[in-house]
Amino acid sequence: MSVHTAPAHPAVRRWGSLVAAAALWLVLYRLNLPFWDWLIYDALGLSADSAAGSALHFFGYDVVKITLLLIGIIFLVTLLRSFMSLERTRALLGGRREGVGNVMAAGLGVVTPFCSCSAVPAFIGFVSAGVPIGVTMSFLIASPLVNEIAIGLLLGMFGIGPTLLYVAAGLTIAIVAGWALGRMNAQRWVEPFVFETRLRGEIVDSTAGLTWDDRIEMSREEVVTILRKIWPYLLVGIGLGAIIHGWVPTGFFTTYANADNPLGVVVAVLLGVPLYSNAAGVMPLVQSLYGAGLPMGTLLAFMMSVVALSLPEMILLRRVLKPQLIAAFIAVVATGIVVVGYLFNLIL
Amino acid sequence: MDIKILGPGCANCHRLEERTHEAIAELGLDADVENVTDVAEIASYGIMKTPGLVVDDKVVVSGRVPTTREIAQLLAGG
């Protein structure tokens, strides 16, 4: 009997290394809490009741936890999304009427891979294919608002209840806001060149002909790209969270921003609109503010206004939208977020 | 060979440009590489997700950054 080891089948190697990576992820995730307990409370001898001890513990534990969550979530989401494309979404939306179209656009906004840097070509691509402006806006609102990173982090930090509320609220805002903008006859506020854009050549579907290895490599690169982009936000967010956790007395915020305070949500949204960060940077802050007693509706409203309305995206969109439509866009979305915030504070 | 990189200047566009130059050097091609940053012109190629790679006025990649090897194959095959 000849003894030779056959070279591992590519499929075996591919799925084998994925399973190994998943196992390693799980072990690290499980070891995170005992490790920081040991390091801060035993090795450094800090008390869990002291401000410095609890703040350091919060910081270390959260940095590792959120980084691990992000790696897992971004990888899986990119892998799944590699089966969806803007081209396919546009084909699904082309010729839809408002109403049904807004609902579909919001749903597709969640699952279609999209980054705000492509907002302009996507806008032109949709409109020149005959997708109504309001429907296109539903897509553009849902895409950053109901964001996969936010969904994953909410799930990891607050559980299924708040996550479902967030998704439902985000979709509702995108549907209603897009529909309302459509009703305002928004075409007149779109730069005329958009309607004159003629497509040349054949359309290439961005996901055509991808192999599993391509998809896995794309997902791995996406993890690295996003982490590289957001780590400063992440550290600042968790750092602020740790300071609140350690030094701000419980009840401090609730004096000023409890659920009965009629202005709480409005203030949260007004603070959030000019702030630009992403879900990964806001979530640690939201978590520690929640621990400090702020109501969930106010916090979700704050988070949504930070991620949904960003100055860089507005500047990009200015290329295709007139200032009136940008102003209407901000006003409609901000109003929607405020309403949702009050609603959550009422029912939660 | 006439190569265009479509993209308003995002991180992925720069990465695509780098890899395209690598692929050209690897193959020893004689090619002009031009950056197209104007959104209206980008959109007129029908791509909705940047970056895009256009070879001799034909879109060969849209919305992703292929590996250097894949770009080399695309350039050699085209």
Side-chain angles (χ1 to χ4, degrees):
Chain A
M1 206 188 209
S2 70
V3 184
H4 73 268
T5 42
H9 192 271
V12 174
R13 205 172 44 209
R14 175 197 315 140
W15 299 116
S17 40
L18 267 191
V19 169
L24 178 68
W25 187 94
L26 212 61
V27 168
L28 288 175
Y29 196 81
R30 281 297 162 90
L31 284 180
N32 189 18
L33 186 60
F35 172 78
W36 290 100
D37 282 347
W38 168 82
L39 183 73
I40 305 289
Y41 302 143
D42 296 345
L44 293 176
L46 290 166
S47 158
D49 300 324
S50 71
S54 69
L56 273 178
H57 186 277
F58 179 94
F59 187 79
Y61 171 71
D62 260 41
V63 167
V64 176
K65 175 175 173 171
I66 292 175
T67 308
L68 282 171
L69 280 173
L70 286 174
I71 292 173
I73 294 159
I74 299 166
F75 187 87
L76 282 179
V77 168
T78 313
L79 200 63
L80 290 175
R81 277 184 167 177
S82 70
F83 291 94
M84 204 50 213
S85 67
L86 273 171
E87 287 77 11
R88 206 165 298 168
T89 294
R90 175 171 64 179
L92 286 168
L93 290 178
R96 295 276 164 195
R97 286 152 168 266
E98 289 174 332
V100 182
N102 292 102
V103 175
M104 281 184 65
L108 288 165
V110 180
V111 295
T112 309
F114 181 72
C115 109
S116 59
C117 52
S118 297
V120 169
F123 182 88
I124 299 174
F126 276 35
V127 172
S128 60
V131 180
I133 306 288
V135 175
T136 306
M137 295 309 274
S138 279
F139 178 87
L140 286 181
I141 295 167
S143 200
L145 182 58
V146 189
N147 158 299
E148 73 282 8
I149 297 177
I151 292 176
L153 289 177
L154 271 175
L155 203 56
M157 298 167 108
F158 292 105
I160 187 80
T163 311
L164 287 178
L165 277 177
Y166 162 77
V167 174
L171 287 175
T172 310
I173 292 172
I175 293 165
V176 175
W179 180 83
L181 289 169
R183 292 291 90 201
M184 290 178 195
N185 204 3
Q187 293 84 289
R188 60 200 153 120
W189 293 325
V190 172
E191 295 292 350
F193 84 88
V194 172
F195 299 108
E196 288 152 17
T197 302
R198 292 281 165 271
L199 306 181
R200 49 176 144 171
E202 55 195 290
I203 310 287
V204 174
D205 189 307
S206 48
T207 58
L210 288 181
T211 64
W212 272 107
D213 282 327
D214 292 336
R215 294 176 203 275
I216 289 170
E217 176 58 22
M218 270 168 64
S219 310
R220 202 189 57 75
E221 280 187 1
E222 185 74 5
V223 170
V224 175
T225 311
I226 292 191
L227 283 183
R228 209 179 263 166
K229 194 162 66 186
I230 65 177
W231 71 265
Y233 295 99
L234 198 68
L235 288 188
V236 169
I238 299 175
L240 285 174
I243 291 168
I244 292 168
H245 193 79
W247 283 280
V248 176
T250 318
F252 173 82
F253 286 108
T254 46
T255 323
Y256 302 101
N258 56 47
D260 301 326
N261 183 336
L263 283 178
V265 176
V266 175
V267 172
V269 172
L270 287 180
L271 281 175
V273 172
L275 274 182
Y276 172 54
S277 175
N278 41 52
V282 189
M283 205 61 80
L285 195 61
V286 165
Q287 190 192 23
S288 44
L289 289 172
Y290 183 68
L294 274 180
M296 187 52 107
T298 309
L299 289 171
L300 280 180
F302 174 69
M303 189 189 85
M304 287 186 184
S305 62
V306 172
V307 298
L309 297 167
S310 78
L311 190 60
E313 192 186 350
M314 295 305 139
I315 292 171
L316 281 175
L317 282 174
R318 174 65 192 87
R319 188 80 178 73
V320 283
L321 307 180
K322 295 194 173 151
Q324 293 95 319
L325 185 49
I326 295 199
F329 175 72
I330 295 174
V332 169
V333 174
T335 310
I337 294 173
V338 169
V339 171
V340 161
Y342 281 119
L343 197 68
F344 283 177
N345 280 346
L346 266 181
I347 60 175
L348 283 177
Chain B
M1 194 175 256
D2 182 32
I3 297 173
K4 290 194 177 88
I5 313 277
L6 310 182
C10 51
N12 279 333
C13 319
H14 293 308
R15 214 144 43 125
L16 178 64
E17 190 187 349
E18 253 167 53
R19 290 184 184 176
T20 305
H21 280 294
E22 281 170 24
I24 291 170
E26 225 168 78
L27 296 169
L29 289 174
D30 177 30
D32 280 334
V33 180
E34 186 194 337
N35 282 306
V36 178
T37 52
D38 179 63
V39 283
E41 205 184 333
I42 293 172
S44 75
Y45 280 96
I47 78 161
M48 286 191 290
K49 197 167 176 248
T50 54
L53 183 66
V54 174
V55 179
D56 291 333
D57 243 25
K58 190 166 171 277
V59 180
V60 291
V61 174
S62 107
R64 64 194 181 92
V65 183
T67 57
T68 307
R69 204 172 45 152
E70 198 187 334
I71 298 174
Q73 280 165 1
L74 285 167
L75 295 181

